[in-house]
Amino acid sequence: MLLVCRFRVSDPESFTTRVEEALKLLTAQPGCLRGTLARSTDADDRWVLTVEFESVVAYRRAMSPFPVREHVVPLLSEALTDEPALYEPALTSVGGQVEEHTSLLAEDAFTVRLGEASGPATPRRR
């Protein structure tokens, strides 16, 4: 599971200090593999934080401890919300070898709306 959060930052020094604390807390959690903060080379106020987890369960558990909820969740709430933040890997590659990953999403994940678990009450129009 990959968490991708984009930020527009006006005070880089304060922001990177907060992200450093967030990364310490998150990467200390079981199932959190790595985290990276990167700055845009095209726009000086744009930053991206990526954090990789073993699974959805590892992500949810990593977000549960009080110190994480106290320091990480407020930071993540400042992320730009015009794009999704969580992604599951489809292909990964190390050393020239590509591995395909099976999706954990249900086959009807993008066809059934919230509240329609037993099937859509009204057929969805395309």
Side-chain angles (χ1 to χ4, degrees):
M1 185 60 49
L2 183 63
L3 173 67
V4 179
C5 296
R6 293 167 182 81
F7 297 89
R8 181 174 285 126
V9 177
S10 60
D11 182 2
E13 188 174 321
S14 171
F15 177 72
T16 56
T17 300
R18 293 174 59 214
V19 172
E20 182 177 357
E21 180 65 20
L23 285 172
K24 285 178 186 176
L25 290 166
L26 282 175
T27 58
Q29 302 302 313
C32 184
L33 303 175
R34 67 188 59 82
T36 302
L37 176 65
R39 188 174 195 168
S40 171
T41 58
D42 296 323
D44 67 345
D45 66 339
R46 295 300 181 103
W47 295 72
V48 64
L49 172 66
T50 60
V51 185
E52 188 176 347
F53 299 90
E54 289 177 349
S55 64
V56 173
V57 173
Y59 162 74
R60 290 185 178 152
R61 286 186 180 150
M63 298 301 284
S64 295
F66 181 76
V68 171
R69 288 183 284 135
E70 181 180 29
H71 296 285
V72 178
V73 173
L75 173 72
L76 298 182
S77 72
E78 296 173 19
L80 301 175
T81 58
D82 58 341
E83 293 184 22
L86 288 174
Y87 297 83
E88 66 175 355
L91 300 173
T92 55
S93 180
V94 175
Q97 298 297 316
V98 176
E99 179 182 355
E100 183 176 353
H101 299 271
T102 303
S103 175
L104 300 176
L105 295 173
E107 287 185 31
D108 63 352
F110 300 108
T111 62
V112 177
R113 295 177 289 225
L114 187 62
E116 300 176 343
S118 63
T122 306
R124 185 176 284 193
R125 293 191 177 122
R126 292 186 183 243

